[in-house]
Amino acid sequence: MNEELRQALGEIKRGMLVMLKNVWSVSDLALVLGVSESRVRHMAADKVIPTYKQNGSLYFKREEIEAWQTAHRTSSRGEIASQAATFCAARRLK
């Protein structure tokens, strides 16, 4: 049990340290996204995620990955209803 606890604490510590960094490696990004390192490499090769390459190594800016993750926002029902009401009200004024 102690070994399992020690391992879990090590993973938590690594995750916290990764989140403090501004530039991530393949292993860092894999940890953040919860995917394998090979999946990260495939995503970079397919130009799905913003990538930097230096001396054969791949790097990722945290801000750009966060922007990529939040790029395709879906509006809530309340927002859609509000937009529809505004649109209908504006059409009635014409």
Side-chain angles (χ1 to χ4, degrees):
M1 183 78 160
N2 280 341
E3 185 58 35
E4 290 176 14
L5 184 58
R6 187 171 289 134
Q7 188 175 13
L9 287 173
E11 289 176 20
I12 292 169
K13 182 179 176 183
R14 176 163 165 33
M16 290 174 62
L17 290 175
V18 165
M19 293 308 293
L20 294 174
K21 294 167 68 175
N22 290 323
V23 177
W24 292 332
S25 65
V26 171
S27 62
D28 294 339
L29 185 57
L31 178 68
V32 170
L33 296 179
V35 299
S36 67
E37 291 183 23
S38 64
R39 182 70 191 128
V40 170
R41 286 189 188 89
H42 280 99
M43 292 169 74
D46 293 341
K47 302 199 182 329
V48 174
I49 53 178
T51 307
Y52 295 87
K53 192 169 186 178
Q54 183 74 26
N55 296 327
S57 296
L58 297 173
Y59 298 99
F60 311 89
K61 283 188 177 180
R62 184 182 73 204
E63 304 87 35
E64 292 177 355
I65 296 301
E66 290 170 348
W68 168 78
Q69 286 179 306
T70 59
H72 302 289
R73 184 177 184 277
T74 302
S75 299
S76 69
R77 288 182 181 167
E79 290 171 327
I80 293 169
S82 175
Q83 291 170 354
T86 301
F87 177 78
C88 291
R91 288 205 52 169
R92 279 189 218 135
L93 294 176
K94 289 184 179 181

